[in-house]
Amino acid sequence: MTVTWTIFRREFASFFVTPTAYIIAAGFMLFTGVFFSQEFQVAAVRRIPINPATIPSLVSYMLVFFAPLFTMRLFAEEKREGTVELLLTAPVSEASIVVAKFMAAWAYVTILLGITLVYQAILATYAPQDIGHTILAYIGIWLYSGTVISIGMMFSALTENQIVSAFSSLLTLLILYVGDGVGGIIGNIQLSEIMRSLSLEAHYSTSFAAGLFRAEDAAFYAGVIVIMLFLTMRILESNRWR
Amino acid sequence: MIEVKSLTRLYGEVIAVDHISFKAASGEIVGLLGPNGAGKTTTMRMLTGFLPPTSGSAKIGKYDIVEDSMEARRRVGYLPERVPLYQDMTVFGYILFWAQLRQVKAPRDRTVDVLKRFDLLGRRDKLVRQLSKGLRQRLGLAQALVHDPPVIILDEPTIGIDPQQVIEVRQAVRDLRKSHTVLFSTHILSEAEEICDRVVIIDKGRIVAQGTPDALEKQVRANSFTLEVGRLAPERVLEVLRAIPGVASVKRRDAHFSVETDGSRDVRGDISGAIVAAGGELLEMKQVKSSLEDVFLRAVQSAADNPQGQKKS
Amino acid sequence: MTQKSGYVLTRGRAAQIASFVGITGLITGAIGMVWRSGASANYALIAIIIGGLGIALWAGLTPREFRETITGKRVRYGTVTIVSTALLIGIVTLTYMLLQSAALTLDVTQNQSFTLSQETLNVLRRVSRPIRLTGFYTARNLAARELDDQFFRLYTTATNGLIERDYIDPEQNPAMAGRFGVQEDGQLYISYLDAAGEIDMTTVSRVPRGESQERDVTQAISRMLIAGTIKIYFATGADERDAFDTTAEGIAGINNGIRESGLLTDTLNISQIAMANGDIPNDAAALIITRPLRDLTGAETDVIRRYMDGGGGLLLMPDVTYNEDRFMSETGTFNTWLWQTFGLRALDAAVVDPDASASSALDVISAVVFTESPIASRINPEAGTQTLFRVARVVEADLLSTPANIANGRIIMTTPFGFGERNLADLGATNTFGFDEGEDIPGPVSTAVWATHQVTGSRVVLIGDSDFVSNGQVLSAPGNGILFTDALSWVSGFSDEIQFAPQAFTSGLPTVFVSQQQVDLVVFLSVILVPGILLVSGLAIYARRVRR
């Protein structure tokens, strides 16, 4: 546990010693900011309500593009620098390494999500907010972000090339994201239903974002995270076996 | 301290390490000598727990590297060939991280000690990426030593740094003698000769020779001579020498002849006797002053001649 | 050892992927088979087929490894990974399905958007026959379907499955969509099921989709429940507007609308009843009298009086007519009885409102609406649901000396500049009007009023116009239909079936006026300040690193 904490701290700190993480965060906040101010302007002028899940729902889309940017380096960089060899020869289990790195990336995204609370605060000063709905939407997007990170991390462990890692996770996430609306393309309702139940967005948009907590959606995200962490461990281990 | 028994490693169908066995006692510096691709790195990776062996076993102290992997890893300090660095950490932070990861008691004090030892304390707040190559090598060594492990494994620690730094690193390794068991790989013979208590020569995954540098040299020295013979036709000399039991080969080099024996007996008396008996005159007979290089080349050569080396298991 | 870069698909790796797909397919297929029957069995079959193909591919690509794995001679590391991963996926899938079928949900919204209100539960308690909600959603609309279903599911749960849900893709099943008359994606229908469990097509009606999903669905169910129990009579015998006349002057349109809402309608000749000394039938929930061309006689008034004494409902729509014996003439028997009993009457004057009118000052628009009255809550001139009366009678509610046991009030009123033109002869002959001090009624004047008897429960709505519900004009203003429907719902007691407390909390509605400056501030904050701070911090870190 101490060891996991040590790796977590190093990993988490590494986000903040390079300018990259700040620039990613700035880009992320710029996109959300532009979108939010547009929504706000329209709503304020026409005096119509703003859905509390507006910002979290936007984040769910943006994470598809932003998450690979900071998950790509998780393992790919260690492999490139050779530090993975030292980590794996230290008295540390693969589980500790994988969990610590995952938690560090998740903590980083949690901070990003925390910054977007600024927008919720602005909304609260202008109109009464449905606090329960807002909190649930944020819990949902938090679980969602964990899932996205776990997938990105898995791809990072597969390769030592950061670009390959980022691109393959972006592609996967995009497919998992649009799976929600794939019915528009394929038209077959049974197939669309299956695609939907596998897509990331479908477990968020109709429950967490609507203010309804569904146990199975939380289980879906937790399950994908567990599977991805397990796969990452195995991939990491396979470096030894090949 | 290190005990390797019949250790074997396959990459798919390719044998990287083929049933090697050797030991390293406490406080000994053992050199692992061989050309590139001989299996040195694979052997070390198995000992550090990075790669599991296909068959065979090895122990660090009394801990098996597979059965008690965690305990074995705790007792090993490792510096891979390419020094693994977190570029964006400070020198202090980097060493402290490894100290904490290996659960050193009082990690901060220990980090300061080890930085002092490698003369890096003045640069403690520098970023790793700003260090020169030699300093990085020292940082790598500091990392391997921070938890004061009984066994230290260094993979080609002197590669790619300037001569002054090579001397420093060699000195640093020598300083570890007695307090640590060091397994050290190199393809530079003089280095092994200079530093190591014992040398294990491997080629194509197999041990071809092992012993102290002196013993290995002696082995070669006892077995080869150069002769200068007068009053006898060179063809006749070759004929006479080849007839002597125990002589493996004779080659003519201008007026000189080099003789190699199989080492089964001392043939010096027989040689002089035979030359004189044939009506010749022995002008000079001198034992070849050979180095580890000869041992190495001979060992590698004989391994190549030996069809066993090519066998697939 | 050589460093591996990128991702190379080797034969061995392809075989691993194939084995993974194969085992996963088999496991999920097995779960599907065990877990559910019916439609999902097809998916389970598909999964098993995919699984079989994966295994076959595995066997084909690396036959030796496959043989050794199967015979247990050599369980390779990679295979262990594959099996354990597949097992993990199986566990996760099973957990997911268990939770899904358990439907553990928690509604956190302040409005309780995913919880049925007590009013709805009261209605659902009366459901005794299987009802089916049939939704038509295309594959493009699955998210909306899921969201709706989470709400409809509550009805199923609350009735222990008596209310069923079924979803049909109108593109896959156009014949079915045609039978229901589906016009757009996401339409919802309600119907009873017959003894065979099939939809009883005679009971199918469309569920309107408005602001409140709960009100729409519950009202639809409620209509199903009371369909056939509420009967509305249109009075005939004195040249009233004809409930079956489909020309511009007739009112067949609203008659059909009432029937489509599940109510029964019929006609009733009041004068024949009066002559036979009979009574209005007991099943009459309401009586509608739409602009007869003569006033009611004393005998006819007695018929209505007896009906009202028994707790009846009366919807009166006199109009401006230019004959002497006009319906509800100011001093007529009927008008006098109504004034004395309910404190309501019609005056012999036409409504003029120069400030709230259409093409002529006689075409009055609902200027002041008493939304707290039982009828007018949905009429809002500002939201575009105003009413439009063309040449209407002035009506009055006696608010000062209300008769005993009566509660009454106004529904719609003109602006203060409106007035009642008394000179109907000139108006009819030459269409001239103008306010004459001392003669005409000063405004504001009422155009619609209501009253109820608190002991007998009888209810009256008096509207000074009738052509607003004629086929020709009922659509001329959005409020016309609403006023009629809500007035009828109220007098017949239909609206008592389902009453909803308005939702107290409207999320996110601005309570303060947001000025342009404040909007600019928000834009500055979110587009420039927050990203800017992050960017500057990044640059600062970079600068510090360079300097070191």
Side-chain angles (χ1 to χ4, degrees):
Chain A
M1 213 45 231
T2 346
V3 169
T4 312
W5 176 239
T6 304
I7 302 177
F8 171 82
R9 269 199 336 230
R10 195 207 74 75
E11 199 66 42
F12 187 60
S14 78
F15 276 109
F16 299 99
V17 292
T18 66
T20 328
Y22 292 90
I23 290 165
I24 292 173
F28 185 85
M29 295 314 291
L30 183 68
F31 275 100
T32 19
V34 167
F35 183 82
F36 169 77
S37 49
Q38 275 174 353
E39 287 282 301
F40 180 81
Q41 208 160 357
V42 169
V45 170
R46 293 171 54 196
R47 298 182 74 78
I48 52 171
I50 296 180
N51 190 324
T54 304
I55 291 296
S57 298
L58 173 71
V59 168
S60 79
Y61 178 62
M62 297 219 312
L63 277 177
V64 170
F65 299 95
F66 277 88
L69 293 181
F70 54 84
T71 57
M72 65 180 184
R73 48 169 290 278
L74 284 175
F75 281 100
E77 194 172 81
E78 297 250 10
K79 284 183 164 190
R80 199 192 59 207
E81 296 292 332
T83 41
V84 72
E85 191 170 340
L86 269 192
L87 268 184
L88 289 174
T89 57
V92 179
S93 67
E94 276 90 357
S96 290
I97 300 169
V98 170
V99 169
K101 279 180 172 284
F102 169 69
M103 287 296 179
W106 205 1
Y108 171 73
V109 176
T110 308
I111 290 177
L112 284 190
L113 289 177
I115 300 175
T116 67
L117 286 175
V118 169
Y119 305 133
Q120 303 294 343
I122 292 172
L123 285 184
T125 57
Y126 285 99
Q129 289 297 299
D130 189 337
I131 303 296
H133 191 168
T134 310
I135 290 173
L136 190 72
Y138 267 83
I139 289 175
I141 198 65
W142 186 68
L143 285 172
Y144 176 100
S145 67
T147 312
V148 165
I149 290 164
S150 69
I151 293 168
M153 184 174 71
M154 199 271 287
F155 280 102
S156 179
L158 267 179
T159 169
E160 66 180 67
N161 184 331
Q162 297 202 16
I163 303 298
V164 173
S165 154
F167 191 71
S168 41
S169 48
L170 173 71
L171 207 64
T172 309
L173 291 174
L174 205 58
I175 290 170
L176 286 177
Y177 183 88
V178 299
D180 185 24
V182 77
I185 312 159
I186 54 178
N188 180 312
I189 203 153
Q190 278 82 17
L191 202 59
S192 314
E193 273 171 32
I194 294 173
M195 290 294 291
R196 237 181 89 70
S197 60
L198 289 175
S199 86
L200 291 175
E201 177 71 0
H203 294 275
Y204 172 75
S205 60
T206 53
S207 53
F208 290 110
L212 180 74
F213 172 79
R214 279 194 309 208
E216 72 251 35
D217 290 333
F220 174 82
Y221 289 134
V224 174
I225 290 173
V226 168
I227 290 168
M228 285 299 149
L229 293 190
F230 180 79
L231 276 178
T232 311
M233 270 173 228
R234 286 298 152 119
I235 290 166
L236 199 56
E237 233 171 3
S238 78
N239 288 324
R240 305 168 182 273
W241 291 92
R242 63 177 189 210
Chain B
M1 214 47 211
I2 304 175
E3 193 181 344
V4 178
K5 264 191 208 152
S6 197
L7 203 60
T8 304
R9 170 73 200 195
L10 279 78
Y11 291 123
E13 306 273 291
V14 181
I15 304 176
V17 173
D18 189 2
H19 295 88
I20 64 166
S21 305
F22 66 90
K23 283 184 184 177
S26 257
E28 207 175 20
I29 298 184
V30 175
L32 211 52
L33 188 62
N36 290 330
K40 301 186 301 278
T41 299
T42 304
T43 306
M44 291 184 148
R45 283 182 164 172
M46 284 192 281
L47 289 175
T48 53
F50 182 65
L51 291 176
T54 309
S55 69
S57 67
K59 280 183 173 177
I60 304 289
K62 56 183 195 227
Y63 300 102
D64 188 279
I65 55 162
V66 177
E67 302 299 319
D68 284 315
S69 180
M70 285 296 168
E71 287 302 318
R73 288 190 218 172
R74 254 184 252 287
R75 284 162 180 77
V76 175
Y78 177 39
L79 176 62
E81 183 178 333
R82 194 163 50 119
V83 184
L85 297 170
Y86 291 115
Q87 303 285 358
D88 289 305
M89 290 181 97
T90 62
V91 166
F92 185 83
Y94 177 76
I95 298 300
L96 181 66
F97 171 66
W98 291 110
Q100 285 171 333
L101 204 62
R102 290 164 183 151
Q103 289 167 305
V104 171
K105 288 188 184 99
R108 284 173 183 280
D109 297 346
R110 181 63 197 158
T111 302
V112 170
D113 287 352
V114 106
L115 287 179
K116 214 178 272 169
R117 176 169 179 178
F118 288 97
D119 199 20
L120 286 163
L121 200 57
R123 295 184 171 86
R124 55 178 287 169
D125 291 325
K126 284 263 181 204
L127 287 181
V128 168
R129 63 164 73 245
Q130 295 164 326
L131 296 184
S132 69
K133 237 178 163 184
L135 290 177
R136 288 179 186 204
Q137 201 74 25
R138 295 217 304 248
L139 190 64
L141 274 173
Q143 165 278 128
L145 285 168
V146 71
H147 54 309
D148 198 20
V151 172
I152 293 167
I153 296 180
L154 307 172
D155 196 357
E156 310 243 9
T158 55
I159 209 163
I161 50 178
D162 68 45
Q164 179 55 38
Q165 290 164 337
V166 168
I167 292 166
E168 282 175 23
V169 169
R170 284 182 190 164
Q171 187 53 47
V173 173
R174 261 198 301 270
D175 290 345
L176 297 171
R177 199 196 302 259
K178 304 303 172 207
S179 53
H180 300 83
T181 305
V182 179
L183 183 66
F184 163 90
S185 81
T186 181
H187 61 271
I188 302 163
L189 299 152
S190 58
E191 190 168 276
E193 216 170 349
E194 186 186 335
I195 302 174
C196 300
D197 297 319
R198 245 152 36 75
V199 176
V200 176
I201 301 174
I202 62 172
D203 182 51
K204 299 202 170 75
R206 306 180 54 160
I207 292 183
V208 290
Q210 58 175 310
T212 62
D214 282 350
L216 287 173
E217 271 178 45
K218 211 167 281 167
Q219 202 181 327
V220 179
R221 196 180 301 140
N223 293 344
S224 72
F225 309 93
T226 43
L227 306 178
E228 200 182 342
V229 178
R231 291 212 316 230
L232 211 57
E235 292 76 21
R236 180 69 185 135
V237 176
L238 289 173
E239 197 180 305
V240 167
L241 290 175
R242 279 177 182 148
I244 298 167
V247 170
S249 73
V250 183
K251 279 182 188 133
R252 186 184 163 201
R253 224 178 269 147
D254 300 328
H256 296 269
F257 298 89
S258 65
V259 177
E260 304 255 328
T261 74
D262 59 9
S264 55
R265 50 192 284 267
D266 193 344
V267 294
R268 282 176 292 184
D270 290 1
I271 289 173
S272 59
I275 300 275
V276 171
E281 204 174 23
L282 187 61
L283 301 174
E284 191 190 343
M285 176 157 80
K286 124 178 134 185
Q287 250 186 353
V288 175
K289 181 78 180 160
S290 83
S291 69
L292 208 47
E293 186 145 6
D294 298 281
V295 182
F296 179 71
L297 289 175
R298 274 162 50 90
V300 168
Q301 185 62 41
S302 72
D305 294 344
N306 189 346
Q308 285 267 299
Q310 303 294 327
K311 197 188 74 177
K312 287 184 179 180
S313 79
Chain C
M1 163 152 181
T2 51
Q3 288 292 318
K4 213 178 98 37
S5 68
Y7 193 92
V8 187
L9 188 72
T10 61
R11 192 186 174 86
R13 189 163 272 158
Q16 271 193 1
I17 294 169
S19 66
F20 177 74
V21 169
I23 291 168
T24 312
L26 289 183
I27 289 181
T28 46
I31 290 173
M33 281 290 187
V34 172
W35 190 249
R36 278 178 183 178
S37 53
S40 66
N42 294 333
Y43 306 142
L45 201 65
I46 292 169
I48 284 176
I49 290 168
I50 292 172
L53 286 176
I55 300 278
L57 196 63
W58 178 25
L61 284 167
T62 50
R64 205 181 71 187
E65 184 193 300
F66 179 71
R67 206 168 46 240
E68 286 174 346
T69 308
I70 293 296
T71 54
K73 258 189 199 163
R74 182 182 69 156
V75 179
R76 259 188 50 161
Y77 173 80
T79 313
V80 175
T81 302
I82 286 161
V83 171
S84 52
T85 308
L87 214 63
L88 190 63
I89 291 175
I91 292 168
V92 168
T93 314
L94 199 64
T95 315
Y96 176 80
M97 285 177 153
L98 270 169
L99 286 171
Q100 195 175 35
S101 68
L104 296 175
T105 56
L106 182 68
D107 178 10
V108 300
T109 56
Q110 210 153 330
N111 279 333
Q112 294 291 289
S113 318
F114 294 97
T115 311
L116 295 181
S117 64
Q118 195 53 48
E119 291 87 344
T120 295
L121 293 177
N122 290 341
V123 169
L124 295 184
R125 217 165 280 140
R126 307 207 314 268
V127 175
S128 56
R129 280 172 62 193
I131 289 177
R132 178 174 288 171
L133 290 169
T134 311
F136 288 87
Y137 298 85
T138 63
R140 287 179 298 282
N141 211 6
L142 283 178
R145 192 186 89 178
E146 191 178 328
L147 209 52
D148 288 347
D149 182 61
Q150 287 179 17
F151 184 70
F152 302 154
R153 181 162 77 183
L154 302 173
Y155 286 85
T156 307
T157 316
T159 55
N160 287 322
L162 268 180
I163 296 181
E164 300 176 2
R165 288 121 54 215
D166 187 29
Y167 300 102
I168 296 171
D169 181 353
E171 285 168 357
Q172 233 169 35
N173 199 342
M176 199 63 156
R179 282 179 69 195
F180 277 83
V182 176
Q183 278 157 345
E184 55 190 80
D185 207 350
Q187 279 186 337
L188 182 69
Y189 294 84
I190 190 168
S191 61
Y192 277 120
L193 294 184
D194 60 21
E198 297 294 319
I199 289 175
D200 181 353
M201 289 307 289
T202 61
T203 62
V204 169
S205 72
R206 191 165 67 83
V207 179
R209 307 298 289 274
E211 279 291 297
S212 162
Q213 185 158 244
E214 180 174 5
R215 193 175 67 188
D216 295 338
V217 175
T218 304
Q219 282 186 339
I221 292 169
S222 180
R223 277 199 297 275
M224 295 279 292
L225 293 177
I226 60 177
T229 65
I230 288 188
K231 197 163 188 179
I232 309 290
Y233 285 97
F234 284 95
T236 59
D239 291 324
E240 286 92 346
R241 286 186 189 272
D242 189 341
F244 298 98
D245 182 358
T246 53
T247 65
E249 288 297 303
I251 53 171
I254 56 160
N255 186 14
N256 290 337
I258 296 169
R259 284 161 180 246
E260 276 168 23
S261 305
L263 305 181
L264 302 173
T265 64
D266 206 345
T267 54
L268 199 63
N269 192 319
I270 305 291
S271 53
Q272 278 175 9
I273 292 173
M275 274 188 281
N277 214 5
D279 274 314
I280 290 172
N282 281 333
D283 64 354
L287 177 67
I288 303 174
I289 306 178
T290 321
R291 196 222 55 195
L293 290 177
R294 62 166 175 82
D295 205 355
L296 296 185
T297 62
E300 287 163 347
T301 306
D302 277 348
V303 171
I304 291 171
R305 184 177 48 79
R306 287 200 297 276
Y307 169 64
M308 292 307 283
D309 286 349
L314 196 55
L315 177 53
L316 300 169
M317 291 183 275
D319 213 328
V320 175
T321 53
Y322 304 107
N323 53 344
E324 278 303 308
D325 185 27
R326 72 171 63 87
F327 176 53
M328 294 187 80
S329 64
E330 211 166 308
T331 53
T333 329
F334 184 75
N335 211 18
T336 312
W337 165 76
L338 195 67
W339 182 247
Q340 285 166 354
T341 320
F342 289 96
L344 304 181
R345 64 175 168 182
L347 301 175
D348 290 336
V351 182
V352 182
D353 191 348
D355 254 31
S357 48
S359 49
S360 150
L362 291 167
D363 295 350
V364 292
I365 292 169
S366 46
V368 179
V369 177
F370 294 83
T371 49
E372 69 276 18
S373 80
I375 294 122
S377 62
R378 291 200 291 156
I379 298 170
N380 180 3
E382 278 175 28
T385 52
Q386 74 280 13
T387 62
L388 176 65
F389 298 156
R390 294 184 196 277
V391 196
R393 286 273 290 277
V394 174
V395 297
E396 192 178 7
D398 190 351
L399 303 173
L400 298 174
S401 54
T402 312
N405 295 324
I406 293 295
N408 63 0
R410 290 181 283 218
I411 300 170
I412 300 171
M413 193 170 74
T414 64
T415 64
F417 304 100
F419 61 94
E421 173 61 58
R422 285 245 180 227
N423 193 341
L424 293 181
D426 279 3
L427 184 68
T430 60
N431 199 28
T432 50
F433 55 87
F435 185 67
D436 302 310
E437 190 72 46
E439 190 183 329
D440 288 339
I441 307 161
V445 296
S446 301
T447 54
V449 289
W450 63 276
T452 180
H453 193 288
Q454 284 162 331
V455 178
T456 63
S458 57
R459 291 170 175 181
V460 184
V461 169
L462 171 59
I463 301 169
D465 193 46
S466 67
D467 41 6
F468 81 102
V469 288
S470 67
N471 298 335
Q473 290 184 31
V474 70
L475 297 175
S476 64
N480 287 2
I482 296 173
L483 175 66
F484 175 79
T485 312
D486 287 0
L488 182 63
S489 294
W490 182 69
V491 295
S492 65
F494 183 59
S495 62
D496 302 357
E497 297 292 333
I498 348 127
Q499 284 205 326
F500 280 90
Q503 288 187 325
F505 183 82
T506 19
S507 175
L509 263 181
T511 50
V512 289
F513 180 73
V514 182
S515 69
Q516 187 57 43
Q517 272 169 327
Q518 283 164 314
V519 169
D520 290 346
L521 181 71
V522 168
V523 172
F524 171 75
L525 196 73
S526 51
V527 179
I528 296 170
L529 195 64
V530 174
I533 288 173
L534 288 167
L535 206 61
V536 167
S537 334
L539 290 175
I541 295 281
Y542 180 71
R544 214 174 69 190
R545 245 170 44 144
V546 167
R547 255 190 287 128
R548 237 205 298 232

